[in-house]
């Protein structure tokens, strides 16, 4: 059986959020939309996203590094969100393995969100239905688009080609070769969900830092003696 999925290269993801914004733009006006934002600028913002990028630091100073970790629905081969759905709204397509939600059947009970160990499902506060990544099913199944455009919006938008798309059950596909040759792995395989999406690991790099480099001795404020205001006109005083 065909199993469409994403393979994400953590070594080249720069956390630019192009995948997030392109996903939001395409899907909010497409088959899976709208994707509502309620109070997006308040202290406790809420909004519906199919894809999010989590950024965090690892290591101990000075040997630290920043990791950008995109995460969306993993389109598991054994999706726990499907059997718990009381209405059958959550389902896995037999022809391509994509896990979808039928909005007409969804009652917003959140059972699927509780069952998903990856936190990949979100309640649309306006429509009161559960939403998630669809792998842009309306794009990839549109025969009027060119082969290049029949890919998820996030894949097309990524400036570093950190996102690959294809059939992970085809041993000769680009994604399968990348998984096999570059040590691709599944997220939390111990849950037995068999995620279709895979990640390519970051390559280890060694930093050589001398103790002198940990203190900035050439502080420009100190060097130019600008630590105190002397009363002369500065750029901050000019009217633009």
């Amino acid at each position: 059986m065909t199993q469409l999925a994403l393979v994400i290269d953590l070594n080249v993801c720069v956390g630019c959020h192009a995948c997030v914004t392109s996903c939001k733009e395409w899907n909010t006006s497409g088959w899976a939309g709208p994707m509502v934002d309620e109070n997006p600028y308040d202290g406790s913002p809420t909004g519906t996203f199919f894809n999010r990028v989590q950024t965090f630091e690892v290591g101990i100073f000075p040997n630290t590094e920043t990791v950008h970790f995109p995460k969306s629905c993993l389109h598991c081969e054994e999706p726990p969100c499907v059997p718990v759905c009381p209405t059958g709204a959550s389902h896995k397509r037999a022809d391509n393995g994509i896990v979808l939600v039928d909005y007409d059947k969804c009652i917003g009970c959140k059972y699927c969100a509780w069952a998903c160990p990856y936190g990949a499902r979100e309640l649309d506060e306006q429509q009161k239905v559960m939403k998630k990544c669809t792998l842009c099913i309306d794009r990839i199944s549109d025969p009027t688009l060119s082969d290049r455009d029949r890919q998820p919006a996030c894949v097309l938008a990524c400036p570093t080609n950190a996102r690959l798309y294809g059939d992970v059950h085809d041993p000769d596909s680009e994604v399968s070769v990348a998984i096999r040759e570059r040590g691709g792995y599944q997220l939390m395989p111990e849950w037995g969900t068999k995620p279709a999406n895979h990640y390519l690991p970051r390559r280890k790099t060694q930093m050589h830092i001398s103790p002198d480099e940990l203190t900035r001795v050439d502080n420009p404020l100190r060097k130019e003696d600008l630590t105190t205001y002397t009363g002369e006109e500065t750029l901050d005083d000019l009217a633009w």
Side-chain angles (χ1 to χ4, degrees):
M1 182 186 77
T2 299
Q3 177 61 66
L4 300 178
L6 297 174
V7 172
I8 300 172
D9 189 348
L10 299 179
N11 195 61
V12 296
C13 176
V14 295
C16 66
H17 287 250
C19 57
V20 177
T21 55
S22 63
C23 169
K24 185 86 166 182
E25 184 275 332
W26 173 263
N27 286 291
T28 197
S29 58
W31 170 84
M35 297 167 64
V36 177
D37 289 319
E38 291 197 353
N39 305 318
Y41 304 109
D42 286 354
S44 299
T46 61
T48 305
F49 287 84
F50 290 174
N51 179 49
R52 295 178 184 268
V53 177
Q54 300 172 343
T55 299
F56 53 92
E57 290 188 357
V58 297
I60 300 176
F61 178 82
N63 298 308
T64 60
E65 58 181 332
T66 301
V67 176
H68 304 291
F69 196 88
K71 193 175 70 172
S72 59
C73 173
L74 302 176
H75 299 280
C76 302
E77 297 194 44
E78 298 291 340
C81 57
V82 171
V84 301
C85 181
T87 65
S90 185
H91 62 282
K92 184 176 179 67
R93 288 183 50 154
D95 58 338
N96 53 30
I98 297 178
V99 179
L100 297 174
V101 178
D102 186 337
Y103 297 161
D104 292 332
K105 295 181 180 179
C106 181
I107 58 175
C109 66
K110 300 184 183 179
Y111 280 5
C112 58
W114 295 335
C116 175
Y118 308 106
R121 289 177 174 246
E122 302 184 10
L123 177 70
D124 188 293
E125 295 292 344
Q126 186 177 65
Q127 289 186 296
K128 301 300 180 183
V129 295
M130 303 305 295
K131 294 189 175 182
K132 55 174 288 300
C133 166
T134 67
L135 278 185
C136 293
I137 187 68
D138 50 340
R139 286 187 66 96
I140 64 177
S141 59
D142 187 349
T144 65
L145 297 178
S146 64
D147 290 341
R148 177 192 176 278
D149 289 333
R150 292 181 67 176
Q151 301 184 76
C154 60
V155 175
L156 295 173
C158 182
T160 62
N161 294 322
R163 304 174 75 89
L164 307 176
Y165 161 76
D167 181 7
V168 293
H169 282 183
D170 178 0
D172 298 322
S173 67
E174 181 184 17
V175 289
S176 293
V177 172
I179 294 170
R180 185 169 60 250
E181 296 184 354
R182 298 169 60 186
Y185 64 92
Q186 297 172 320
L187 188 61
M188 297 162 56
E190 64 272 16
W191 285 99
T193 60
K194 299 181 180 178
N197 286 8
H198 285 66
Y199 290 88
L200 302 181
R202 291 172 59 86
R203 303 187 185 101
K204 294 293 184 179
T205 57
Q206 183 68 36
M207 293 188 297
H208 301 281
I209 302 176
S210 67
D212 293 341
E213 294 174 327
L214 299 180
T215 302
R216 185 173 181 181
V217 295
D218 59 339
N219 189 322
L221 296 179
R222 185 177 305 166
K223 186 176 182 180
E224 299 174 15
D225 196 24
L226 296 178
T227 55
T228 58
Y229 181 62
T230 57
E232 71 273 13
E233 186 178 70
T234 67
L235 287 177
D236 293 333
D237 300 319
L238 300 179
W240 296 94

